[in-house]
Amino acid sequence: MDHDHLFHFHDNPNPACPVGRNIHKILDGHLQDAQRALEQELAKTTLADIQQETLACLAKDAAADQQG
């Protein structure tokens, strides 16, 4: 498995199929752009950010449990 690529699909497309024959030419660049954008967005996020969001969700859950 290729761990450098977020999007992985169809290792052996059928060359006799018009879609299969062209799928990587058509989608690979778009998928690389999407992966790059996701990586850039995630680079702005720290573990402290995730911890803070998690604690906020847990606090909301606890408050909802107490009400209901």
Side-chain angles (χ1 to χ4, degrees):
M1 179 171 198
D2 187 353
H3 294 286
D4 292 332
H5 294 91
L6 178 63
F7 301 102
H8 181 81
F9 69 100
H10 221 322
D11 285 331
N12 300 302
N14 184 346
C17 171
V19 174
R21 177 174 53 245
N22 293 293
I23 194 73
H24 285 284
K25 285 186 273 187
I26 295 166
L27 289 182
D28 284 354
H30 296 289
L31 295 176
Q32 288 173 357
D33 291 344
Q35 179 172 334
R36 194 170 15 262
L38 176 61
E39 289 171 351
Q40 289 171 354
E41 189 61 30
L42 289 175
K44 301 174 192 175
T45 304
T46 66
L47 288 176
D49 295 332
I50 299 299
Q51 181 183 30
Q52 184 178 16
E53 289 179 45
T54 301
L55 292 173
C57 284
L58 292 174
K60 286 181 184 178
D61 287 348
D65 288 345
Q66 288 178 355
Q67 291 178 358

